[in-house]
Amino acid sequence: MLRWLSPINAWISRLCMYIAVAGLLGIVTVVAYQVFGRYVLNDTPTWAESLALVLVLYITMFGAAVGVRDAGHIGLESVLVMVLPERHRIWVEILIHLLVAGFGLVMGWNAWLLADSVMAYKIPTLGLPEGLNHLPLSIAGGLIALFSLEHILALIAGEEVRPSWH
């Protein structure tokens, strides 16, 4: 299962990072236009700040999901875990990934419920559904669970998950 899951997850991870980079470029463009409008045209675009905030949500959540897959997140090694024999350490690491996957599933499901409940409302300055603000949390939660599953399978197989940029 790991043989076909890893390439798919690596592709999804790279896609998320491309989307995050595009979102970052979008933020730079939108904020630059907002500053230009405010100080040069003396006419601040009202939609710019709202769009930048929506883009920040997508960048942050997709980046967090990729961080789980590529182990780029902050991790603290417990001395207790480090001194355990290898066969016991694997079970603790599997438990950690199960907890992360559970968190991702709970976050994704509840974010989906929230997004669905506010989808009928509009972001006033953009005219877009308010649920778009919560959709990246739902997507990232699912991806976090999927990427944690890959780590669990890799631990069971005695392999390492290769970062998606290699």
Side-chain angles (χ1 to χ4, degrees), residues 82-148:
M82 292 174 59
V83 297
L84 286 173
E86 182 68 29
R87 62 190 153 111
H88 296 300
R89 188 178 325 142
I90 288 174
W91 289 109
V92 172
E93 290 177 8
I94 288 173
L95 175 65
I96 290 168
H97 287 294
L98 281 171
L99 291 171
V100 171
F103 169 79
L105 289 173
V106 169
M107 180 180 81
W109 175 251
N110 287 299
W112 175 258
L113 292 176
L114 182 59
D116 187 47
S117 71
V118 297
M119 198 60 84
Y121 302 107
K122 301 286 184 198
I123 301 171
T125 55
L126 296 176
L128 296 173
E130 181 70 36
L132 291 180
N133 283 337
H134 309 291
L135 202 56
L137 276 79
S138 183
I139 295 168
L143 291 175
I144 286 170
L146 180 66
F147 295 156
S148 294

Side-chain angles (χ1 to χ4, degrees), residues 2 5-6 9 65-73 90 93-94 96-98 100 143-163:
L2 188 62
L5 184 61
S6 282
N9 280 356
V66 171
V68 168
R69 183 185 187 278
D70 291 350
H73 52 58
I90 288 174
E93 290 177 8
I94 288 173
I96 290 168
H97 287 294
L98 281 171
V100 171
L143 291 175
I144 286 170
L146 180 66
F147 295 156
S148 294
L149 173 65
E150 179 184 7
H151 279 281
I152 292 168
L153 294 174
L155 283 168
I156 292 170
E159 297 178 16
E160 287 279 323
V161 173
R162 290 189 58 205

Side-chain angles (χ1 to χ4, degrees), residues 59-86:
I59 292 168
T60 304
M61 289 297 101
F62 287 173
V66 171
V68 168
R69 183 185 187 278
D70 291 350
H73 52 58
I74 296 173
L76 300 175
E77 293 293 331
S78 170
V79 173
L80 178 63
V81 175
M82 292 174 59
V83 297
L84 286 173
E86 182 68 29

Side-chain angles (χ1 to χ4, degrees), residues 3-61:
R3 196 171 328 150
W4 62 266
L5 184 61
S6 282
I8 291 170
N9 280 356
W11 181 84
I12 292 170
S13 178
R14 279 191 303 273
L15 178 64
C16 286
M17 285 308 293
Y18 290 138
I19 291 170
V21 168
L24 188 58
L25 292 173
I27 287 175
V28 169
T29 303
V30 166
V31 171
Y33 180 70
Q34 183 180 20
V35 170
F36 178 77
R38 178 178 294 157
Y39 293 109
V40 177
L41 302 176
N42 201 23
D43 183 28
T44 304
T46 57
W47 54 267
E49 185 174 350
S50 297
L51 181 58
L53 289 173
V54 170
L55 290 173
V56 164
L57 292 170
Y58 280 86
I59 292 168
T60 304
M61 289 297 101

